[in-house]
Amino acid sequence: MPQLSDATFQRISALMYESVGLSFADHKKALMSSRLALRLQRLGLSRFEDYAELLEDPDEGAEFQMAVDLLTTNETYFFREPRHFEWLQQELLSQRPRPGLSIWSAASSFGDEAFSLAMLLSDLQAQGLVNNNWSILATDISHRVLTAAREGIYPESRLRYVSPERLRRYCLCGEGPAEGQAMIKPELRTRVKFGQLNLTQPFSGLGPFDAIFLRNVLIYFDPPTKTAVVDRVLGALKPGGLFFVGTAEGRVPCKTPLQALSPGVFRKMA
Ligand SMILES: C[S@@+](CC[C@H](N)C(=O)[O-])C[C@H]1O[C@@H](n2cnc3c(N)ncnc32)[C@H](O)[C@@H]1O
């Protein structure tokens, strides 16, 4: 097994920090080593130094993406932290009628969060509680998760918190070789637009959104990067709009004034 030296750990950490804002404290060296070791083996490399060189090569963008994927976790599932979806529903029902509604899942991973939102909005539309003019944008830095998200096929375990009615309405459950998998029906799939976006870089032309989900991604960033990301994302939220972060992520470090409503739920002050 190749050894990751302190110097190469710092070298890869610096690269990850500068390009995508990922922050690795010293005690994360073993984690980095174990997550990348298999990749080195696949590529036939015996030294982390050679892998660092590869990551620094501007022509090796795909390998860089691969390393980001290996160093972050894409863990997600449908209706994760269900209280957040209840908050959103309550908000939408208390502010009717709305001319339109747009929501951003800002670190969407495989799209579970975005399709959960689409199921909720589609239900409300079927009940005549929101009109047809709603849209969901889902973005992530990882090309790999976005490609899978666009296909909309999930192991059924990830849909464990989806009610049987919603499963029937919005999913096609696999049979035979596809047993244990569910596919989001095309009608719902087309309601979510996926795109690649690095939250640590400035962006323009997004929003303004009525609600933003920025959940379980801030954990990767150091405090200054967290603040910059949160303020940047909040710039795309309408005043009065709801902002969601993972409940385990603690205080939201930002300059934009927010009203705390519940764990992980905030309102952008007008
Ligand atoms: C744990 S998943 C969160 C998924 C979903 N929001 C949830 O809470 O279930 C974190 C996602 O953040 C993405 N990510 C990490 N750094 C990012 C960055 N700089 N810009 C955009 N997305 C990033 C990862 O690719 C990963 O898919």
Side-chain angles (χ1 to χ4, degrees), residues 20 22 72-76 80 107-109 113 140-142 197-200 215-217 220-221:
V20 289
L22 299 185
T72 55
T73 149
N74 306 111
E75 155 79 359
T76 186
R80 182 179 195 175
S108 64
S109 188
E113 183 176 82
D140 200 281
I141 196 169
S142 164
L197 184 121
N198 179 358
L199 293 165
T200 64
R215 305 191 310 164
N216 303 302
V217 62
Y220 299 119
F221 308 139

Side-chain angles (χ1 to χ4, degrees), residues 12-267:
I12 297 178
S13 299
L15 196 59
M16 289 294 154
Y17 185 72
E18 281 152 25
S19 312
V20 289
L22 299 185
S23 173
F24 295 94
D26 289 347
H27 67 273
K28 293 283 171 76
K29 192 175 118 175
L31 179 96
M32 182 186 282
S33 171
S34 65
R35 293 223 171 146
L36 296 181
L38 205 61
R39 189 68 196 148
L40 264 72
Q41 206 182 4
R42 280 265 161 81
L43 295 170
L45 299 175
S46 56
R47 301 180 333 131
F48 274 101
E49 287 69 23
D50 298 332
Y51 191 60
E53 207 161 296
L54 205 60
L55 296 181
E56 284 164 354
D57 183 342
D59 293 335
E60 293 287 347
E63 189 55 45
F64 185 83
Q65 275 284 323
M66 176 64 77
V68 171
D69 266 357
L70 291 169
L71 293 171
T72 55
T73 149
N74 306 111
E75 155 79 359
T76 186
Y77 49 89
F78 282 70
F79 291 98
R80 182 179 195 175
E81 306 197 47
R83 286 285 299 139
H84 287 175
F85 295 89
E86 289 164 23
W87 261 96
L88 180 67
Q89 171 163 340
Q90 197 180 310
E91 173 83 358
L92 299 180
L93 297 186
S94 70
Q95 294 188 4
R96 290 193 297 137
R98 278 174 184 265
L101 178 61
S102 66
I103 301 185
W104 182 19
S105 168
S108 64
S109 188
F110 292 100
D112 308 39
E113 183 176 82
F115 285 127
S116 303
L117 290 166
M119 287 180 186
L120 173 64
L121 295 186
S122 199
D123 275 2
L124 294 178
Q125 184 187 334
Q127 294 161 38
L129 299 171
V130 303
N131 63 29
N132 184 38
N133 194 8
W134 56 267
S135 62
I136 294 169
L137 174 70
T139 61
D140 200 281
I141 196 169
S142 164
H143 184 65
R144 183 180 64 92
V145 298
L146 291 168
T147 303
R150 287 189 185 102
E151 282 178 4
I153 299 172
Y154 297 92
E156 280 174 4
S157 59
R158 292 247 294 280
L159 293 136
R160 59 194 176 277
Y161 297 121
V162 178
S163 68
E165 299 78 48
R166 280 182 172 153
L167 274 181
R168 256 195 313 277
R169 209 170 305 142
Y170 301 119
C171 303
L172 298 164
C173 291
E175 289 170 3
E179 174 107 42
Q181 296 202 306
M183 181 191 246
I184 304 295
K185 288 187 182 171
E187 310 85 90
L188 199 72
R189 226 164 49 220
T190 54
R191 299 301 302 249
V192 180
K193 297 281 168 263
F194 288 97
Q196 192 173 29
L197 184 121
N198 179 358
L199 293 165
T200 64
Q201 300 291 321
F203 55 80
S204 59
L206 291 188
F209 296 98
D210 295 275
I212 297 179
F213 283 63
L214 181 71
R215 305 191 310 164
N216 303 302
V217 62
L218 295 174
I219 35 162
Y220 299 119
F221 308 139
D222 67 358
T225 309
K226 266 188 201 174
T227 303
V229 166
V230 171
D231 281 321
R232 188 176 296 128
V233 167
L234 284 172
L237 182 62
K238 288 182 186 167
L242 289 187
F243 179 58
F244 298 87
V245 298
T247 47
E249 291 179 292
R251 214 179 63 79
V252 177
C254 65
K255 300 190 178 97
T256 313
L258 291 178
Q259 178 193 8
L261 301 174
S262 175
V265 188
F266 301 86
R267 187 184 300 287

